Amino acid sequence: MFKCQKRKKIKPKSKQIFPNGPLDRIVADTCELPEYLKIKTQYAWVLDIIDYFSKYILSYPLILKNADNVLIGIKEIIFENLNKNNENNFK
């Protein structure tokens, strides 16, 4: 007679965090522009921000990829987006 194999215990997956609304949770990354675009423009990098809630992608050009410029880019994108949303709500 055959014996049934016991299954291994399955480890629970890590707890997922779901955003409550737009810009509640974002992901940011930078990518380098190709050489021919660097020559045409002064920008060498692009900061991309993705909103988890809406899956909307926002981009901001950067001259240098350092912490100060990235922080400026994040502030510009988020505050510009918030101002647009507030203007639309009060019309």
Side-chain angles (χ1 to χ4, degrees), residues 23 71-86:
L23 297 174
L71 182 61
I72 290 168
I74 291 172
K75 285 181 180 179
E76 287 283 327
I77 288 173
I78 290 176
F79 289 126
E80 177 182 311
N81 214 9
L82 288 176
N83 286 338
K84 283 182 184 176
N85 289 342
N86 286 339

Side-chain angles (χ1 to χ4, degrees), residues 22-77:
L23 297 174
D24 184 41
R25 187 174 178 87
I26 61 170
V27 177
D29 196 11
T30 56
C31 61
E32 190 172 7
L33 291 175
E35 282 300 319
Y36 66 90
L37 284 176
K38 288 182 195 177
I39 295 169
K40 277 186 162 182
T41 65
Q42 60 184 2
Y43 301 108
W45 297 88
V46 175
L47 170 68
D48 293 320
I49 294 180
I50 302 171
D51 178 27
Y52 260 56
F53 183 77
S54 65
K55 308 294 187 241
Y56 191 70
I57 300 173
L58 302 159
S59 297
Y60 186 81
L62 300 172
I63 296 172
L64 298 172
K65 185 178 112 172
N66 58 21
D68 293 334
N69 286 342
V70 170
L71 182 61
I72 290 168
I74 291 172
K75 285 181 180 179
E76 287 283 327
I77 288 173

